[in-house]
Amino acid sequence: MLALAAGAALMLAASGRVWATGELSSPGPVAAVPVDITGTDLTGALSGLGWAGLAGIAGLYAARSWLRRVVGLLIAVCGVFALTSLWSATRPGVLTDAVLALATDTAGAAQSAGAPELHALGPAMGAAGAVLLILTGLIAVVRAPAWPGMGNRYDRDAAPRPRQAQTPADLWKSLDAGEDPTLGAPDDGTPAATAPAARTETGDDTEPAPLAEGPAQPKESH
């Protein structure tokens, strides 16, 4: 996960750095103006793939079993695509076209003076980040099923179901565990368990006292 985060961060940082420097010349006795070209000017895929790599961290944590392998494969594909885009963006013809496009947008009749100068730091950072994405993606494809995952404690199917209480002691145990013993009653006509008997100070269950059959009758006086 740390390697994946580092690779994605390198790609995002590289896309904002200056990759090449060119010069624009205008007609007349005007000095050439230097122009900086960033990685985003050459290819916008690098930053987008960097954000995809960061999203892959959450995907590897949330996915399970074979889905983790799918996420790892997608991460590796993003790394390969980033390397391909980086290689295409650093070709001399692409750099010259980028300078000419910038000259048309900002300087009107200005033209490119000479071949642009490529700076190695930005492309190197992007390439290193792409390689990290490829390696971490391939490792996830091979090793992901053996990694621990997020627990299923809060999953709907994994929630504990209340047990049907059979004795007053079972009712007390269910209440102590935070369960509702009245839920999940069987539908076969089996009567539910009776209410729990009152506990004594020592914690032992006692049988409920029998109810009197009726009010006591006063004795007749002779």
Side-chain angles (χ1 to χ4, degrees):
M1 296 302 176
L2 292 177
L4 180 57
L10 281 174
M11 293 171 60
L12 291 173
S15 63
R17 294 189 61 88
V18 176
W19 285 22
T21 302
E23 290 185 348
L24 297 178
S25 61
S26 300
V30 180
V33 179
V35 177
D36 294 333
I37 304 173
T38 64
T40 304
D41 297 331
L42 295 173
T43 173
L46 199 63
S47 59
L49 294 172
W51 287 113
L54 291 179
I57 298 177
L60 287 177
Y61 271 115
R64 301 174 186 170
S65 185
W66 62 271
L67 287 177
R68 274 185 171 174
R69 291 184 170 179
V70 174
V71 175
L73 182 60
L74 292 176
I75 292 174
V77 170
C78 288
V80 173
F81 187 54
L83 279 180
T84 305
S85 301
L86 191 149
W87 174 262
S88 300
T90 53
R91 297 302 86 203
V94 176
L95 296 178
T96 303
D97 293 340
V99 173
L100 292 176
L102 190 60
T104 302
D105 294 340
T106 59
Q111 297 179 354
S112 175
E117 179 185 358
L118 179 65
H119 302 288
L121 182 58
M125 291 174 58
V131 170
L132 284 177
L133 256 68
I134 295 174
L135 293 178
T136 53
L138 294 178
I139 292 174
V141 171
V142 177
R143 298 287 300 170
W147 294 344
M150 297 178 64
N152 59 352
R153 178 179 179 183
Y154 298 102
D155 291 354
R156 183 175 181 181
D157 296 336
R161 297 181 179 180
R163 298 171 297 176
Q164 181 63 23
Q166 301 296 334
T167 63
D170 293 338
L171 288 174
W172 286 114
K173 292 179 181 179
S174 299
L175 292 174
D176 292 338
E179 300 175 357
D180 189 352
T182 62
L183 298 178
D187 297 334
D188 55 358
T190 305
T194 57
R199 291 187 175 184
T200 60
E201 296 180 356
T202 59
D204 298 332
D205 295 336
T206 59
E207 293 295 332
L211 298 177
E213 297 180 357
Q217 299 293 334
K219 294 182 178 181
E220 297 180 359
S221 58
H222 298 286

